[in-house]
Structures are given as C-alpha cells and as structure tokens.
Amino acid sequence: MKLYELFIDELGQVNPNNKESPLYVLCGCVVENINRNNLKIHADQIKFKYWGRTDIVFHSYDIGKNKKDFEIFNDDEKRKREFLADLYSFLRQSTFSIFIIVIDKSLAKKRGWNSIKVIEETARKLFYHFIVWLLTKNRKGKINIESATAEKDRYYLNEFSYFLSPGCKELTVDYKIIQEMLTSISFVTKRNHDIEEQIADLFAYAARCKYQQLKKLEIYAAESHESKMIKILDAKLFKPPRRASRKKRELWDSIKPFCILLKK
C-alpha cells in the first residue's frame, strides 16, 4: 500500500489576543513517500546553484526580506529574479497537494477562543482533511509537524489520538481502520531540512496573501511575488477527480482545501 506523508507548518501567532499577526494559517503539504527524494534533489539543485551548498532553508519571510542566507540578493535584483523563477518552476513541476486552514483571529477572539482552542480546531480540521483524503485513496499516512513548544505539540498529539479513538465523531468508519491507515505522528524542526516543511512554509504565506486578496484587504500587482505564489497555490490545492462513486464524492465534498474556519 502506498504511503503518503503530511507535513505541517504554521504562519502567525496562535494567540487571538496577539495583534502582530491578524491571521493564523496552518498549511499541510501531502507528498507520496517515493516522491520525497525527487523533491529534495530538485530543491538541492537550486540551493547549490545560488549558494554552493544545500543547507539553505526556503523560508518565506527571509526570501521576502532578503534576510539570512538571502542577503546575497540585496545588491543583485537580477539574480533574485532568477532565483524566484527557479523556485516557481520547482513548485509548479513538483508533485504534491496542499491543504490550508485559515483563522481570522479577531473573529476567534469574538467567539471567546483562546490559544488552545485555535490549535485544537485548526489541527482537527487539517487532520480530518488528510484522513478523508487517505480513505478515498485507500492509502497509509504519516503526519509530520514542525515542533513549536512542548505544550503546543501536546495538543497536536491529542488531536492525532482523537482520530484513532472510538470517540471520534467526525468519521463514520471504524476507528480500527483509521489506526491501520494513519501510522504515526512526528515532530520535526527546520534544522531537519525537510523540503516538504519548507514548501508548507512558502504556501502558508501564499495562503495569507490569498485570504487578504479574497477579503479585499490587499491588492497585489499581477507580476508580484505574492500574485505568482497565489497562482501556484491555487494549482496545488487538492482537487477531487471529476469522476467518482457517490460514496467517494460525498467524502471529497467534505474536504475544503482552502478552509476558512470562522466567517462573519
């Protein structure tokens, strides 16, 4: 049976009272295990081309601000454009699917949500989407999360355990089937240099831009980095096959690849 892995990264502060980031975004990148090596090779080729080494982390903030390793582009805008073109090509041509969960923290605050509630709701929704996707494919799956704090990781682990328990209410299949299908959860760091985590980071930023554009909070020029990333995100969001049995169609219809949890 084929194995798929879900890599998760977050954008923004989880606390609804924190005003530094109005949105909290959770991004999941799903990759078939046998494709992971190809992803790494392609990404490493780009990294070696510009830095002469491969221990570079594609981090959306650093790329946008030319920080850390990306300081090499501060005085060379042409080289930066070349790098971005290579990055866009890599993202377009690679095989993976993206799931997004977005929360407007001002709405979460109005609902009385705290940090724990935000973590639980976003994790549960993303895990649900991944599990339903696995069910429709009859595949096994693993979950990988960029580790944050021991407390936050514990809530992710709780949500993972919830879907493996008899008390799970979101799924109508026997919990033993889920136990066979969803094999493990791991907590990793960017020091692990998993390119899938870096892809999740890049698309978490693209998701924030897409949300701001949908809500008419921002307007991005057609040739801007943000517009290009939104376009690639739209292409990589999970899309169900056009033809499917009624049962599978019902499952797929419950998946919202760009999921806005709270609405006015």
Short mmCIF file of all heavy atoms in Angstrom, two decimals, residues 185-221:
data_model
loop_
_atom_site.label_atom_id
_atom_site.label_comp_id
_atom_site.label_asym_id
_atom_site.label_seq_id
_atom_site.Cartn_x
_atom_site.Cartn_y
_atom_site.Cartn_z
N ILE A 185 2.85 10.01 14.05
CA ILE A 185 3.00 11.46 14.05
C ILE A 185 4.41 11.78 14.56
O ILE A 185 4.87 11.16 15.52
CB ILE A 185 1.92 12.16 14.91
CG1 ILE A 185 2.05 13.68 14.82
CG2 ILE A 185 1.96 11.69 16.35
CD1 ILE A 185 0.86 14.42 15.45
N SER A 186 5.09 12.71 13.89
CA SER A 186 6.45 13.09 14.27
C SER A 186 6.55 14.60 14.38
O SER A 186 5.85 15.33 13.67
CB SER A 186 7.46 12.59 13.22
OG SER A 186 7.41 11.20 13.07
N PHE A 187 7.42 15.05 15.27
CA PHE A 187 7.66 16.48 15.44
C PHE A 187 9.08 16.78 15.00
O PHE A 187 10.04 16.22 15.52
CB PHE A 187 7.44 16.88 16.90
CG PHE A 187 6.01 16.70 17.35
CD1 PHE A 187 5.59 15.51 17.93
CD2 PHE A 187 5.08 17.70 17.15
CE1 PHE A 187 4.27 15.32 18.32
CE2 PHE A 187 3.75 17.52 17.53
CZ PHE A 187 3.35 16.34 18.12
N VAL A 188 9.21 17.68 14.01
CA VAL A 188 10.50 17.97 13.40
C VAL A 188 10.80 19.46 13.51
O VAL A 188 9.94 20.26 13.91
CB VAL A 188 10.53 17.54 11.92
CG1 VAL A 188 10.25 16.06 11.79
CG2 VAL A 188 9.51 18.34 11.10
N THR A 189 12.01 19.84 13.15
CA THR A 189 12.39 21.26 13.12
C THR A 189 12.94 21.59 11.74
O THR A 189 13.25 20.70 10.95
CB THR A 189 13.47 21.59 14.17
OG1 THR A 189 14.71 20.97 13.76
CG2 THR A 189 13.07 21.08 15.55
N LYS A 190 13.09 22.90 11.46
CA LYS A 190 13.66 23.31 10.18
C LYS A 190 15.11 22.84 10.05
O LYS A 190 15.64 22.73 8.95
CB LYS A 190 13.58 24.83 10.02
CG LYS A 190 12.19 25.33 9.61
CD LYS A 190 12.22 26.79 9.22
CE LYS A 190 10.90 27.22 8.58
NZ LYS A 190 9.76 27.15 9.47
N ARG A 191 15.75 22.57 11.18
CA ARG A 191 17.12 22.04 11.13
C ARG A 191 17.17 20.67 10.48
O ARG A 191 18.22 20.19 10.07
CB ARG A 191 17.70 21.96 12.55
CG ARG A 191 17.96 23.33 13.19
CD ARG A 191 18.51 23.16 14.60
NE ARG A 191 18.75 24.45 15.23
CZ ARG A 191 19.90 25.12 15.14
NH1 ARG A 191 20.89 24.62 14.43
NH2 ARG A 191 20.04 26.28 15.73
N ASN A 192 15.99 20.03 10.41
CA ASN A 192 15.90 18.74 9.74
C ASN A 192 16.06 18.88 8.23
O ASN A 192 16.33 17.91 7.53
CB ASN A 192 14.54 18.10 10.05
CG ASN A 192 14.65 16.64 10.42
OD1 ASN A 192 15.61 16.22 11.03
ND2 ASN A 192 13.65 15.88 10.03
N HIS A 193 15.85 20.12 7.75
CA HIS A 193 15.97 20.44 6.33
C HIS A 193 15.03 19.64 5.45
O HIS A 193 15.35 19.30 4.31
CB HIS A 193 17.43 20.28 5.85
CG HIS A 193 18.39 21.21 6.52
ND1 HIS A 193 18.32 22.58 6.35
CD2 HIS A 193 19.42 20.98 7.36
CE1 HIS A 193 19.27 23.16 7.05
NE2 HIS A 193 19.96 22.21 7.68
N ASP A 194 13.85 19.29 5.98
CA ASP A 194 12.84 18.64 5.15
C ASP A 194 12.29 19.66 4.16
O ASP A 194 11.70 20.67 4.57
CB ASP A 194 11.69 18.10 6.02
CG ASP A 194 12.11 16.91 6.85
OD1 ASP A 194 12.89 16.07 6.35
OD2 ASP A 194 11.67 16.81 8.02
N ILE A 195 12.45 19.40 2.88
CA ILE A 195 11.98 20.36 1.89
C ILE A 195 10.46 20.49 1.94
O ILE A 195 9.90 21.55 1.65
CB ILE A 195 12.46 19.97 0.47
CG1 ILE A 195 12.07 21.05 -0.54
CG2 ILE A 195 11.91 18.61 0.06
CD1 ILE A 195 12.61 22.42 -0.23
N GLU A 196 9.78 19.43 2.37
CA GLU A 196 8.31 19.49 2.45
C GLU A 196 7.85 20.50 3.50
O GLU A 196 6.84 21.19 3.30
CB GLU A 196 7.75 18.10 2.78
CG GLU A 196 8.05 17.05 1.74
CD GLU A 196 9.40 16.35 1.96
OE1 GLU A 196 10.14 16.73 2.90
OE2 GLU A 196 9.70 15.42 1.19
N GLU A 197 8.59 20.61 4.61
CA GLU A 197 8.26 21.62 5.62
C GLU A 197 8.48 23.01 5.04
O GLU A 197 7.73 23.95 5.32
CB GLU A 197 9.12 21.43 6.87
CG GLU A 197 8.71 20.27 7.76
CD GLU A 197 7.38 20.52 8.46
OE1 GLU A 197 7.00 21.68 8.63
OE2 GLU A 197 6.73 19.53 8.81
N GLN A 198 9.52 23.16 4.24
CA GLN A 198 9.81 24.45 3.62
C GLN A 198 8.74 24.82 2.59
O GLN A 198 8.34 25.98 2.49
CB GLN A 198 11.20 24.41 2.98
CG GLN A 198 12.32 24.19 3.99
CD GLN A 198 13.65 23.88 3.34
OE1 GLN A 198 14.07 24.56 2.41
NE2 GLN A 198 14.35 22.87 3.87
N ILE A 199 8.26 23.83 1.87
CA ILE A 199 7.16 24.07 0.92
C ILE A 199 5.91 24.51 1.69
O ILE A 199 5.21 25.44 1.27
CB ILE A 199 6.88 22.80 0.10
CG1 ILE A 199 8.03 22.52 -0.86
CG2 ILE A 199 5.56 22.92 -0.67
CD1 ILE A 199 7.94 21.18 -1.57
N ALA A 200 5.62 23.85 2.81
CA ALA A 200 4.47 24.24 3.63
C ALA A 200 4.61 25.67 4.13
O ALA A 200 3.63 26.43 4.17
CB ALA A 200 4.31 23.27 4.80
N ASP A 201 5.83 26.06 4.50
CA ASP A 201 6.08 27.43 4.94
C ASP A 201 5.78 28.42 3.80
O ASP A 201 5.11 29.45 4.01
CB ASP A 201 7.53 27.57 5.39
CG ASP A 201 7.92 28.99 5.72
OD1 ASP A 201 8.20 29.79 4.79
OD2 ASP A 201 7.93 29.34 6.92
N LEU A 202 6.26 28.12 2.60
CA LEU A 202 6.06 29.01 1.46
C LEU A 202 4.58 29.18 1.14
O LEU A 202 4.11 30.29 0.85
CB LEU A 202 6.80 28.47 0.23
CG LEU A 202 8.33 28.43 0.32
CD1 LEU A 202 8.91 27.71 -0.88
CD2 LEU A 202 8.91 29.83 0.42
N PHE A 203 3.82 28.09 1.21
CA PHE A 203 2.41 28.17 0.86
C PHE A 203 1.55 28.70 2.00
O PHE A 203 0.43 29.16 1.76
CB PHE A 203 1.91 26.82 0.36
CG PHE A 203 2.32 26.54 -1.07
CD1 PHE A 203 3.18 25.51 -1.36
CD2 PHE A 203 1.85 27.33 -2.10
CE1 PHE A 203 3.57 25.26 -2.67
CE2 PHE A 203 2.24 27.10 -3.41
CZ PHE A 203 3.11 26.06 -3.70
N ALA A 204 2.03 28.63 3.23
CA ALA A 204 1.32 29.29 4.32
C ALA A 204 1.30 30.79 4.08
O ALA A 204 0.27 31.47 4.28
CB ALA A 204 1.98 28.97 5.66
N TYR A 205 2.43 31.33 3.62
CA TYR A 205 2.48 32.77 3.28
C TYR A 205 1.56 33.05 2.09
O TYR A 205 0.81 34.04 2.09
CB TYR A 205 3.91 33.18 2.96
CG TYR A 205 4.01 34.61 2.45
CD1 TYR A 205 3.79 35.68 3.31
CD2 TYR A 205 4.31 34.87 1.12
CE1 TYR A 205 3.85 37.00 2.85
CE2 TYR A 205 4.39 36.18 0.65
CZ TYR A 205 4.16 37.23 1.52
OH TYR A 205 4.23 38.53 1.06
N ALA A 206 1.60 32.20 1.07
CA ALA A 206 0.73 32.39 -0.09
C ALA A 206 -0.74 32.36 0.32
O ALA A 206 -1.57 33.11 -0.22
CB ALA A 206 1.02 31.32 -1.14
N ALA A 207 -1.07 31.49 1.28
CA ALA A 207 -2.46 31.40 1.76
C ALA A 207 -2.88 32.68 2.46
O ALA A 207 -4.02 33.14 2.30
CB ALA A 207 -2.60 30.21 2.71
N ARG A 208 -1.98 33.25 3.25
CA ARG A 208 -2.30 34.53 3.89
C ARG A 208 -2.58 35.59 2.84
O ARG A 208 -3.55 36.36 2.95
CB ARG A 208 -1.16 34.98 4.80
CG ARG A 208 -1.50 36.24 5.60
CD ARG A 208 -0.37 36.67 6.50
NE ARG A 208 0.72 37.28 5.75
CZ ARG A 208 1.83 37.77 6.31
NH1 ARG A 208 2.00 37.69 7.62
NH2 ARG A 208 2.77 38.30 5.57
N CYS A 209 -1.75 35.64 1.81
CA CYS A 209 -1.95 36.61 0.74
C CYS A 209 -3.27 36.37 0.01
O CYS A 209 -3.99 37.32 -0.32
CB CYS A 209 -0.79 36.55 -0.25
SG CYS A 209 0.82 37.02 0.45
N LYS A 210 -3.59 35.10 -0.23
CA LYS A 210 -4.84 34.76 -0.92
C LYS A 210 -6.04 35.20 -0.09
O LYS A 210 -7.01 35.77 -0.63
CB LYS A 210 -4.90 33.25 -1.17
CG LYS A 210 -6.19 32.77 -1.84
CD LYS A 210 -6.14 31.26 -2.08
CE LYS A 210 -7.48 30.74 -2.61
NZ LYS A 210 -7.76 31.24 -3.98
N TYR A 211 -5.99 34.97 1.22
CA TYR A 211 -7.09 35.38 2.10
C TYR A 211 -7.25 36.90 2.06
O TYR A 211 -8.37 37.42 1.95
CB TYR A 211 -6.81 34.92 3.53
CG TYR A 211 -7.89 35.32 4.51
CD1 TYR A 211 -8.99 34.49 4.74
CD2 TYR A 211 -7.82 36.52 5.21
CE1 TYR A 211 -9.98 34.85 5.62
CE2 TYR A 211 -8.81 36.89 6.11
CZ TYR A 211 -9.89 36.07 6.31
OH TYR A 211 -10.89 36.43 7.20
N GLN A 212 -6.14 37.63 2.17
CA GLN A 212 -6.21 39.09 2.16
C GLN A 212 -6.75 39.61 0.84
O GLN A 212 -7.48 40.60 0.80
CB GLN A 212 -4.81 39.66 2.43
CG GLN A 212 -4.34 39.43 3.85
CD GLN A 212 -2.90 39.85 4.08
OE1 GLN A 212 -2.05 39.68 3.22
NE2 GLN A 212 -2.62 40.40 5.26
N GLN A 213 -6.44 38.91 -0.24
CA GLN A 213 -6.95 39.30 -1.54
C GLN A 213 -8.44 39.00 -1.65
O GLN A 213 -9.22 39.82 -2.17
CB GLN A 213 -6.18 38.56 -2.64
CG GLN A 213 -6.56 38.95 -4.05
CD GLN A 213 -5.59 38.36 -5.07
OE1 GLN A 213 -4.62 39.00 -5.46
NE2 GLN A 213 -5.85 37.15 -5.51
N LEU A 214 -8.85 37.83 -1.14
CA LEU A 214 -10.27 37.46 -1.17
C LEU A 214 -11.12 38.46 -0.39
O LEU A 214 -12.25 38.79 -0.79
CB LEU A 214 -10.46 36.06 -0.59
CG LEU A 214 -10.03 34.87 -1.45
CD1 LEU A 214 -10.09 33.58 -0.65
CD2 LEU A 214 -10.92 34.76 -2.68
N LYS A 215 -10.58 38.91 0.75
CA LYS A 215 -11.30 39.85 1.60
C LYS A 215 -11.09 41.30 1.19
O LYS A 215 -11.55 42.22 1.88
CB LYS A 215 -10.87 39.66 3.06
CG LYS A 215 -11.17 38.28 3.62
CD LYS A 215 -12.66 37.98 3.60
CE LYS A 215 -12.97 36.60 4.16
NZ LYS A 215 -14.42 36.31 4.14
N LYS A 216 -10.37 41.49 0.07
CA LYS A 216 -10.08 42.83 -0.48
C LYS A 216 -9.33 43.71 0.52
O LYS A 216 -9.53 44.92 0.58
CB LYS A 216 -11.38 43.49 -0.93
CG LYS A 216 -12.09 42.70 -2.03
CD LYS A 216 -13.36 43.39 -2.50
CE LYS A 216 -14.01 42.57 -3.60
NZ LYS A 216 -15.28 43.19 -4.10
N LEU A 217 -8.48 43.04 1.30
CA LEU A 217 -7.63 43.77 2.25
C LEU A 217 -6.31 44.18 1.61
O LEU A 217 -5.64 45.10 2.10
CB LEU A 217 -7.36 42.89 3.48
CG LEU A 217 -8.58 42.43 4.26
CD1 LEU A 217 -8.19 41.42 5.35
CD2 LEU A 217 -9.29 43.63 4.89
N GLU A 218 -5.93 43.49 0.54
CA GLU A 218 -4.71 43.78 -0.19
C GLU A 218 -4.97 43.61 -1.68
O GLU A 218 -5.80 42.80 -2.10
CB GLU A 218 -3.58 42.85 0.23
CG GLU A 218 -3.09 43.02 1.65
CD GLU A 218 -2.19 44.23 1.83
OE1 GLU A 218 -1.83 44.86 0.80
OE2 GLU A 218 -1.83 44.53 2.98
N ILE A 219 -4.23 44.40 -2.47
CA ILE A 219 -4.24 44.26 -3.93
C ILE A 219 -2.81 44.04 -4.36
O ILE A 219 -1.93 44.85 -4.08
CB ILE A 219 -4.83 45.51 -4.62
CG1 ILE A 219 -6.28 45.74 -4.18
CG2 ILE A 219 -4.74 45.35 -6.14
CD1 ILE A 219 -6.88 47.01 -4.74
N TYR A 220 -2.56 42.92 -5.04
CA TYR A 220 -1.21 42.58 -5.47
C TYR A 220 -1.10 42.74 -6.98
O TYR A 220 -1.96 42.31 -7.73
CB TYR A 220 -0.87 41.13 -5.08
CG TYR A 220 -0.98 40.87 -3.61
CD1 TYR A 220 -2.01 40.08 -3.09
CD2 TYR A 220 -0.05 41.40 -2.71
CE1 TYR A 220 -2.11 39.83 -1.73
CE2 TYR A 220 -0.16 41.15 -1.34
CZ TYR A 220 -1.18 40.37 -0.87
OH TYR A 220 -1.28 40.13 0.48
N ALA A 221 -0.02 43.37 -7.41
CA ALA A 221 0.24 43.53 -8.84
C ALA A 221 0.38 42.15 -9.49
O ALA A 221 0.85 41.19 -8.86
CB ALA A 221 1.51 44.35 -9.06
#
